[in-house]
Amino acid sequence: IVLGSMQPDVPPGDSVESARRLARNVLGALRDRIHEREDMQLIQDNFMHGVKVILNRRYAAVGRGIRFRFDTDEEESFVDHLDLHQRHALYAVFLEISTNDLKYGQGISTWELSYRGGTFRATFQAQSAQETVGRLSFIKRLRDEGGVCSEKNERGFYIFRLKMKLTGQRSRPSMLP
């Protein structure tokens, strides 16, 4: 009824369908906001566990898979040595790389992660329909935190590499982006 008064030329049946679409969009946006809050809590509780849960959910939503390879002892040590700024930088990396992969990638994507001698290394690999590499928005933040990265896309395969020296014990984060 309200939609009908806002769009007087729309036949009554179309108004009902418009209202349903609007309701689905509003509920979807609300669900996304709830997930964001839950995601931040997951990241604060255990960074890598949170990243895995968030990315697995995003990939499952589009019928894709993602694999993580990270030795359990190395992962625990890594999480213990991440400070708040490094968490922000790495969270941005995981989100942007996975977002681009969800747009252009195919099949199951893989993150191979290691943490040895105070250095975190990550390699992301996926089949890709994109033939060029894009501009990564997190580069400056990553460099500011002592990280370096590279990417290449050859013969339908995208590879992203990251290396970051972790400087100290983690400080309990109050909030992530």
Side-chain angles (χ1 to χ4, degrees), residues 94-155:
F94 283 114
L95 286 183
E96 186 167 338
I97 295 298
S98 65
T99 297
N100 290 342
D101 181 45
L102 290 169
K103 284 185 203 172
Y104 306 113
Q106 304 164 345
I108 297 173
S109 302
T110 303
W111 279 101
E112 292 185 25
L113 311 164
S114 68
Y115 179 66
R116 294 184 194 110
T119 301
F120 173 67
R121 286 182 167 74
T123 301
F124 174 83
Q125 299 179 46
Q127 291 178 335
S128 177
Q130 183 79 355
E131 293 187 18
T132 61
V133 293
R135 182 177 171 272
L136 301 173
S137 66
F138 56 77
I139 296 290
K140 182 181 178 339
R141 180 187 279 181
L142 186 64
R143 284 187 185 139
D144 289 347
E145 294 304 319
V148 295
C149 66
S150 65
E151 63 177 340
K152 69 179 179 178
N153 198 344
E154 294 179 346
R155 293 179 230 117

Side-chain angles (χ1 to χ4, degrees), residues 11-80:
D14 289 345
S15 295
V16 171
E17 187 53 38
S18 292
R20 284 185 182 139
R21 271 195 308 274
L22 178 61
R24 277 194 297 270
N25 289 342
V26 168
L27 288 174
L30 181 58
R31 190 172 34 252
D32 289 345
R33 293 294 295 165
I34 290 169
H35 278 295
E36 280 180 30
R37 293 185 61 87
E38 291 171 349
D39 292 350
M40 291 305 104
Q41 188 60 48
L42 280 169
I43 294 293
Q44 288 181 17
D45 291 345
N46 182 318
F47 181 77
M48 279 310 302
H49 174 72
V51 166
K52 290 175 185 178
V53 168
I54 292 164
L55 295 185
N56 273 308
R57 183 177 55 230
R58 292 181 74 201
Y59 277 74
V62 296
R64 301 250 330 268
I66 187 166
R67 241 181 260 141
F68 290 90
R69 295 187 179 127
F70 203 166
D71 177 78
T72 304
D73 292 335
E74 288 181 20
E75 183 175 334
E76 288 174 11
S77 183
F78 164 71
V79 170
D80 286 342

